[in-house]
């Protein structure tokens, strides 16, 4: 996938994948935060690095997700210590956020299984 835009030169298939990923931004952020608190750009880097650099979520999309997750009580935001350089806003997943993450992952597993069955991909090598 093309960096930062979420689409590639492969046209429709890549746009489909990018839209699918973008639709799961909140769950992806919650997944990153379940390991430890992180500041905004650190979350961006974790997502990029998890895909070997093949996919990057635009920062504007991420910061909208942070605001939404905080508003919904799934993430808490706080200002970090200035002793390590510039003051950064950190994000921490809440218990409610952990529960939503687990539900969303469970739903994804069921959905993926259903789509694979509907597309008759069981057992096929891809």
């Amino acid at each position: 996938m093309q960096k930062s835009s979420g689409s590639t030169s492969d046209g429709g298939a890549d746009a489909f994948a990018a839209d699918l990923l973008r639709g799961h931004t909140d769950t992806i952020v919650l997944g990153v935060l379940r390991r430890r608190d992180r500041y905004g750009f650190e979350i961006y880097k974790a997502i990029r690095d998890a895909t070997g650099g093949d996919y990057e979520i635009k920062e504007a999309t991420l910061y909208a997700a942070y605001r939404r997750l905080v508003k919904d009580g799934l993430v808490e935001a706080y200002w970090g210590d200035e002793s390590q350089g510039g003051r950064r806003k950190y994000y921490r997943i809440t218990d409610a956020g952990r529960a939503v993450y687990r539900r969303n992952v469970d739903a994804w597993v069921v959905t993926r299984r259903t789509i694979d069955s509907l597309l008759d991909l069981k057992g096929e090598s891809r």
Side-chain angles (χ1 to χ4, degrees):
M1 282 187 218
Q2 187 178 68
K3 293 178 181 35
S4 72
S5 71
S7 64
T8 71
S9 59
D10 192 18
D14 295 327
F16 176 80
D19 288 344
L20 187 61
L21 285 163
R22 199 169 22 262
H24 293 279
T25 300
D26 291 1
T27 304
I28 293 167
V29 170
L30 291 171
V32 170
L33 291 174
R34 72 191 158 87
R35 294 176 189 91
R36 65 180 168 90
D37 298 2
R38 296 181 189 243
Y39 59 91
F41 188 69
E42 191 177 22
I43 296 168
Y44 165 84
K45 289 190 308 185
I47 292 167
R48 182 197 62 207
D49 293 350
T51 65
D54 288 341
Y55 182 71
E56 297 175 352
I57 298 176
K58 291 181 180 178
E59 287 185 64
T61 300
L62 280 174
Y63 282 97
Y66 302 156
R67 285 190 301 277
R68 189 172 45 253
L69 290 166
V70 168
K71 179 180 172 270
D72 292 345
L74 304 179
V75 166
E76 297 172 341
Y78 64 93
W79 289 101
D81 185 339
E82 292 178 27
S83 66
Q84 299 175 0
R87 194 162 188 219
R88 295 181 172 134
K89 186 183 257 186
Y90 283 80
Y91 298 92
R92 170 188 309 127
I93 191 169
T94 64
D95 289 340
R98 289 182 189 283
V100 166
Y101 173 78
R102 283 190 296 274
R103 278 195 310 269
N104 289 354
V105 169
D106 290 345
W108 170 254
V109 169
V110 170
T111 302
R112 183 182 61 208
R113 188 177 323 125
T114 302
I115 290 172
D116 284 349
S117 294
L118 292 170
L119 296 176
D120 196 26
L121 295 175
K122 280 188 175 179
E124 279 187 32
S125 61
R126 294 173 206 166

